[in-house]
Amino acid sequence: MFAKIKAISSYLPAQIEENSGIVEARFIKKIGVKSRHIAKDESAGDLAFKAAEKLFSENKIDRQETDFILLCTQHPDYQMPHTAAHLQDRLGLKKSVGSMDISLGCSGYVYGLAVAKGLIEAGLAKKILFLTSSVYTKYINVKDTSTRPLFGDGATATWLEGGDTENLRGFVFGSDGSRYDKLIIPVGGSKNPPRDNPEVFSTDDQKNFRSNYEVFMDGMAITYFTLREIPKLVDEVLIKADLTRADLDYCIFHQANKFMMTYLREKAGLNDVPFHNDITETGNIVSGSVPLAIEQVVKSHGAANLKNVMLAGFGVGLSWAGCIADLSEIKEVGNGET
């Protein structure tokens, strides 16, 4: 028994914020983000719930066949309990369903696929609902014009089940915890609990305004990290999967920003491989960027020829992961609309 992706759906909040009112046109052109969806009155759990409902409806999936819920988010609805457990009840699933939150950001989708693969191929689950949900905009100051234009909110739902052929393979993982502070919310966890740390606001050298309760991102450090580690990841995944670049049908990587992805594609030697690079109307939705991109590629090009697709995620942690996925059996019904 091998794990395979059978369906993907997404949910994007209705409220849209245009970047034209925040930054100059030349910056918008560089990052490739014109607008983003904002979860004003919705939690990460709310977005995940709506993505799951779309998945069940669009793909005519019997929700009672779900054996396990995985939710990848860094914005749980509560410190405790884990949000995936609450989703079991909200979605009306049986009580025998296993549930687990995965606290990962931009690399989280590939990590989550590996967890789902392990559960299915170990015989611990047959059909898995894998959700991603990000509400980064709730943790970014509206006056932080270096970070705010990049990130949007959204959720995705992926249905995985067992099959006779290996559809997910060549997994490679990496971590560099020495650079944990390059993308961070300093206060709010057990290291710096809220009751002991009053909110303090500051302005950086670029006049970006934020507090210690909000996202800080060293954009240059993240870019250097990506361009240093991900070309090596590409080589390692290809070796592990016994493939060459010529064997790849598509590359679907975490959608950070247009400038970074264009440069990364060239540095990784992927200019001759179809390569997704478009977050024009969504921005970076963190762990949801890869499955949203998969949904968009399937909608535009169909799934039949997507047999050797390289997936890669990288970012907060610092963390990265890649694999090869056969996406040819994904149902071509999701459209990613709200």
Side-chain angles (χ1 to χ4, degrees), residues 59 65 108 150 166 171 173 232-233 251 322:
N59 297 280
E65 293 184 353
L150 290 168
E166 189 171 24
F171 282 87
F173 308 99
K232 291 188 291 185
L233 174 69
C251 284

Side-chain angles (χ1 to χ4, degrees), residues 71-123:
L71 170 64
C72 183
T73 186
Q74 293 189 305
H75 313 122
D77 286 2
Y78 306 98
Q79 286 277 38
M80 57 185 291
H82 59 297
T83 305
H86 191 199
L87 286 168
Q88 171 274 325
D89 178 65
R90 292 185 67 184
L91 291 167
L93 305 182
K94 57 192 178 186
K95 291 184 179 179
S96 59
V97 166
S99 64
M100 181 169 65
D101 285 5
I102 301 172
S103 179
L104 273 169
C106 307
S107 63
Y109 188 70
V110 179
Y111 272 88
L113 289 179
V115 174
K117 174 182 170 72
L119 288 168
I120 290 174
E121 295 182 10

Side-chain angles (χ1 to χ4, degrees), residues 226-267:
T226 301
L227 297 177
R228 180 180 64 250
E229 298 294 346
I230 306 312
K232 291 188 291 185
L233 174 69
V234 170
D235 291 334
E236 291 167 1
V237 170
L238 288 172
I239 291 170
K240 199 163 186 179
D242 194 24
L243 297 173
T244 68
R245 284 167 173 76
D247 296 319
L248 294 175
D249 298 313
Y250 228 102
C251 284
I252 301 178
F253 289 7
H254 165 59
Q255 301 293 291
N257 65 71
K258 183 178 180 180
F259 171 78
M260 181 190 291
M261 299 306 293
T262 300
Y263 195 4
L264 175 60
R265 182 184 189 183
E266 180 178 353
K267 189 165 184 181

Side-chain angles (χ1 to χ4, degrees), residues 154-261:
T156 68
T158 300
W159 185 255
L160 296 105
E161 57 185 57
D164 296 330
T165 57
E166 189 171 24
N167 288 62
L168 297 168
R169 67 192 196 281
F171 282 87
V172 174
F173 308 99
S175 303
D176 182 1
S178 69
R179 301 173 189 272
Y180 75 98
D181 57 349
K182 303 305 179 185
L183 183 48
I184 189 172
I185 298 175
V187 174
S190 61
K191 182 72 172 177
N192 297 305
R195 65 170 63 124
D196 299 329
N197 294 270
E199 190 168 20
V200 178
F201 291 88
S202 61
T203 304
D204 64 20
D205 294 340
Q206 285 75 46
K207 299 182 179 181
N208 294 298
F209 187 75
R210 68 178 71 87
S211 82
N212 51 347
Y213 280 74
E214 295 168 321
V215 171
F216 164 78
M217 182 175 70
D218 184 336
M220 192 64 70
I222 298 298
T223 298
Y224 285 155
F225 144 72
T226 301
L227 297 177
R228 180 180 64 250
E229 298 294 346
I230 306 312
K232 291 188 291 185
L233 174 69
V234 170
D235 291 334
E236 291 167 1
V237 170
L238 288 172
I239 291 170
K240 199 163 186 179
D242 194 24
L243 297 173
T244 68
R245 284 167 173 76
D247 296 319
L248 294 175
D249 298 313
Y250 228 102
C251 284
I252 301 178
F253 289 7
H254 165 59
Q255 301 293 291
N257 65 71
K258 183 178 180 180
F259 171 78
M260 181 190 291
M261 299 306 293

Side-chain angles (χ1 to χ4, degrees), residues 282-302:
T282 63
N284 177 346
I285 63 167
V286 198
S287 58
S289 73
V290 171
L292 179 64
I294 292 173
E295 186 185 47
Q296 292 169 342
V297 169
V298 169
K299 182 181 178 184
S300 299
H301 302 285

